[in-house]
Amino acid sequence: MTVARRLGHSAPDITLGYYAHFMSEAGSKGRTAVDGLLGRERDRRAGRNSPGSLGQGQRIRSLDLVGRLDHYNACMAHISAAERRPQLIKAAIDLMTREGVAAGSTRAIAAELGVAQTTVHYTFGTKEDLYQAVIDQIAEDLIEQVEQAAPEGAGFEETIAALAGALWRTMLEPATGHQLLAELTALHTPKLSGARQGLYRRVIDATATVMTETAQRTGYELAQPAETVARFFLSGFDGLAMQWRCLPDEAAERVGLQALVSATVALTGGRLELVDVPVE
């Protein structure tokens, strides 16, 4: 059964009129493209769009195009939302890494993957839901890279240094998505605020786990809770990252990174003297 018959349309031309709305360039451009495929010029003001206005050859071409649409829909039906989800996330990451968050409209993301804009909304609901999925994916990738950076059999200090180095490299390489992650988490919306909190929770937990497991493996006694040390380390790293984005200085950043690792190791080992700070 053709698309036209299934939808209750009297002629394929009517179906094509509706389908033009879903083309990547919806509106006049889409309808012009359809007209071109049908090999005819449509007089819009006269409203001559009735089935009878088509010649025999044009009707055959019309039926052929609708047949292609049938085939396209049949193929699309086999791609579930679960399968489409990672494809859209990757398309969103590729697009926004290349052109920035401002370019990440659902229309542009759909075009990046070559699907209809409605596919994005069907799969994720809203743009914010898609952005949240992007944040989760980038965070998962970064955490995996950091966890794999710890050298086997290394001491506690060497492991913390490797952790800092791995994090810094992810920030310098655009393909890792670190800059995109920073831009997305800077957006202030209710949904993304929750995503931002979840992100920091995951990063803190992952860092604390690396420190705990390394301490246990090397027999290093933690003088402070692992989460306290992880928060200290990450707050220092975030500060260095912010300076790098706003006012980069390679020499100062290297010294700052080395000082951060040294202070983190000293805090963990109880060798850093904590000074009382009046905060109330």
Side-chain angles (χ1 to χ4, degrees):
M1 180 181 292
T2 66
V3 171
R5 183 173 299 177
R6 186 162 57 242
L7 295 178
H9 297 160
S10 60
D13 182 53
I14 296 175
T15 304
L16 291 175
Y18 284 104
Y19 266 87
H21 172 72
F22 295 102
M23 297 178 70
S24 59
E25 292 291 335
S28 60
K29 290 184 179 179
R31 296 184 184 278
T32 300
V34 172
D35 288 341
L37 287 169
L38 295 176
R40 65 187 178 86
E41 290 294 333
R42 181 178 296 181
D43 186 348
R44 299 186 187 281
R45 286 177 295 180
R48 291 185 296 180
N49 57 357
S50 65
S53 65
L54 289 175
Q56 181 64 26
Q58 295 167 339
R59 187 180 298 278
I60 291 173
R61 285 192 293 272
S62 174
L63 289 168
D64 176 64
L65 184 53
V66 173
R68 294 181 193 176
L69 289 171
D70 267 319
H71 176 70
Y72 172 77
N73 285 340
C75 293
M76 290 293 286
H78 294 293
I79 302 179
S80 66
E83 293 174 303
R84 184 66 76 190
R85 184 181 178 86
Q87 296 175 353
L88 284 168
I89 291 173
K90 183 180 185 305
I93 291 174
D94 291 346
L95 173 67
M96 292 190 288
T97 297
R98 188 174 67 247
E99 300 183 21
V101 171
S105 66
T106 55
R107 181 183 297 276
I109 292 169
E112 180 80 7
L113 185 59
V115 299
Q117 185 179 8
T118 52
T119 301
V120 179
H121 293 290
Y122 173 77
T123 305
F124 289 97
T126 67
K127 183 171 70 174
E128 286 186 339
D129 292 326
L130 172 56
Y131 281 6
Q132 183 169 348
V134 167
I135 290 173
D136 291 341
Q137 184 61 57
I138 296 176
E140 183 178 331
D141 293 342
L142 290 176
I143 289 172
E144 183 179 355
Q145 290 181 36
V146 169
E147 289 176 341
Q148 294 176 351
E152 294 185 7
F156 187 84
E157 182 173 340
E158 186 179 356
T159 299
I160 301 304
L163 174 66
L167 274 174
W168 194 256
R169 286 191 297 275
T170 64
M171 190 187 66
L172 297 178
E173 298 171 5
T176 62
H178 197 288
Q179 176 64 31
L180 174 58
L181 188 63
E183 291 183 36
L184 286 172
T185 54
L187 299 176
H188 295 286
T189 66
K191 283 188 178 180
L192 292 183
S193 293
R196 184 164 55 247
Q197 291 174 358
L199 165 66
Y200 277 105
R201 182 72 267 167
R202 291 173 62 189
V203 172
I204 289 171
D205 288 346
T207 305
T209 297
V210 170
M211 292 182 175
T212 299
E213 292 177 349
T214 303
Q216 292 173 346
R217 176 175 55 81
T218 59
Y220 197 91
E221 184 176 353
L222 300 179
Q224 296 287 343
E227 180 170 327
T228 299
V229 179
R231 284 175 173 269
F232 171 76
F233 171 78
L234 292 170
S235 64
F237 185 89
D238 286 345
L240 288 171
M242 180 63 71
Q243 289 186 31
W244 174 79
R245 294 189 193 100
C246 298
L247 194 64
D249 185 324
E250 185 175 350
E253 289 149 7
R254 179 173 294 276
V255 172
L257 201 58
Q258 292 172 330
L260 175 61
V261 171
S262 298
T264 300
V265 172
L267 176 64
T268 307
R271 300 190 304 276
L272 185 66
E273 184 176 350
L274 301 179
V275 179
D276 288 334
V277 178
V279 294
E280 295 180 356

Coordinates of all heavy atoms in Angstrom, one line a residue, residues 5 11 18 56 71 85 93 100 129 152 177 209 214 234 239-240:
R5 N -2.3 6.2 -0.3 CA -3.5 5.4 0.0 C -3.6 5.2 1.5 O -4.7 5.2 2.1 CB -3.4 4.0 -0.7 CG -4.7 3.2 -0.5 CD -4.7 2.0 -1.3 NE -4.7 2.3 -2.8 CZ -4.6 1.4 -3.7 NH1 -4.5 0.1 -3.5 NH2 -4.6 1.8 -5.0
A11 N -4.6 11.4 -4.3 CA -3.6 11.4 -5.3 C -2.2 11.5 -4.6 O -2.1 12.2 -3.6 CB -3.8 12.5 -6.3
Y18 N 2.2 17.4 1.5 CA 2.4 17.3 2.9 C 3.8 17.0 3.3 O 4.4 17.5 4.2 CB 1.5 16.2 3.5 CG 0.0 16.6 3.6 CD1 -0.9 16.2 2.7 CD2 -0.4 17.5 4.6 CE1 -2.3 16.5 2.8 CE2 -1.7 17.9 4.8 CZ -2.7 17.4 3.9 OH -4.0 17.8 4.0
Q56 N 0.2 12.2 -17.8 CA 0.5 10.8 -17.5 C 1.9 10.6 -17.1 O 2.2 9.9 -16.1 CB 0.2 9.9 -18.8 CG 0.4 8.4 -18.6 CD -0.6 7.9 -17.6 OE1 -1.7 8.4 -17.4 NE2 -0.2 6.8 -16.9
H71 N 9.7 3.5 0.7 CA 10.9 2.7 1.0 C 11.7 3.4 2.1 O 12.2 2.7 3.1 CB 11.8 2.6 -0.2 CG 13.1 1.9 0.0 ND1 13.2 0.6 0.3 CD2 14.3 2.4 0.1 CE1 14.4 0.2 0.5 NE2 15.2 1.3 0.3
R85 N 19.2 7.5 19.4 CA 19.7 8.3 20.5 C 21.2 8.6 20.4 O 21.7 9.7 20.4 CB 19.3 7.7 21.8 CG 19.7 8.5 23.0 CD 19.3 7.8 24.3 NE 19.7 8.6 25.5 CZ 18.9 9.5 26.0 NH1 17.8 9.9 25.5 NH2 19.4 10.2 27.1
I93 N 27.3 16.6 19.5 CA 28.7 16.9 20.0 C 29.6 17.4 18.8 O 30.3 18.3 19.0 CB 29.3 15.6 20.6 CG1 28.6 15.3 21.9 CG2 30.8 15.8 20.9 CD1 29.0 14.0 22.6
G100 N 30.2 25.7 18.2 CA 29.8 26.3 19.5 C 28.4 25.9 19.9 O 27.6 25.5 19.0
D129 N 16.8 18.4 27.0 CA 17.0 16.9 27.2 C 18.1 16.4 26.4 O 18.9 15.5 26.9 CB 15.7 16.2 26.9 CG 14.5 16.5 27.9 OD1 14.8 16.7 29.1 OD2 13.4 16.5 27.5
E152 N 49.9 1.6 35.8 CA 49.8 0.5 36.7 C 51.1 0.4 37.5 O 52.2 0.6 37.1 CB 49.7 -0.8 35.8 CG 48.4 -0.9 35.1 CD 48.3 -2.2 34.3 OE1 49.2 -3.1 34.5 OE2 47.3 -2.4 33.5
G177 N 35.9 17.3 24.0 CA 34.6 17.9 24.4 C 34.7 18.7 25.7 O 33.6 19.1 26.2
T209 N 37.4 7.9 44.1 CA 37.6 6.4 43.9 C 39.0 6.1 43.5 O 39.6 5.2 44.0 CB 36.6 5.9 42.9 OG1 35.3 6.0 43.4 CG2 36.8 4.4 42.7
T214 N 44.1 3.9 44.9 CA 45.5 4.0 44.8 C 46.1 4.0 46.2 O 47.2 3.4 46.4 CB 45.9 5.4 44.1 OG1 45.3 5.4 42.8 CG2 47.4 5.5 44.0
L234 N 39.9 19.1 42.5 CA 39.1 19.6 41.3 C 38.8 21.1 41.3 O 38.7 21.7 40.3 CB 37.8 18.8 41.3 CG 37.9 17.3 41.0 CD1 36.6 16.6 41.3 CD2 38.4 17.1 39.6
G239 N 39.9 26.2 38.6 CA 40.5 27.5 38.6 C 41.5 27.7 37.5 O 41.5 28.7 36.8
L240 N 42.4 26.7 37.4 CA 43.5 26.8 36.4 C 42.8 26.7 35.0 O 43.3 27.4 34.1 CB 44.4 25.6 36.5 CG 45.4 25.7 37.7 CD1 46.2 24.4 37.9 CD2 46.4 26.8 37.5

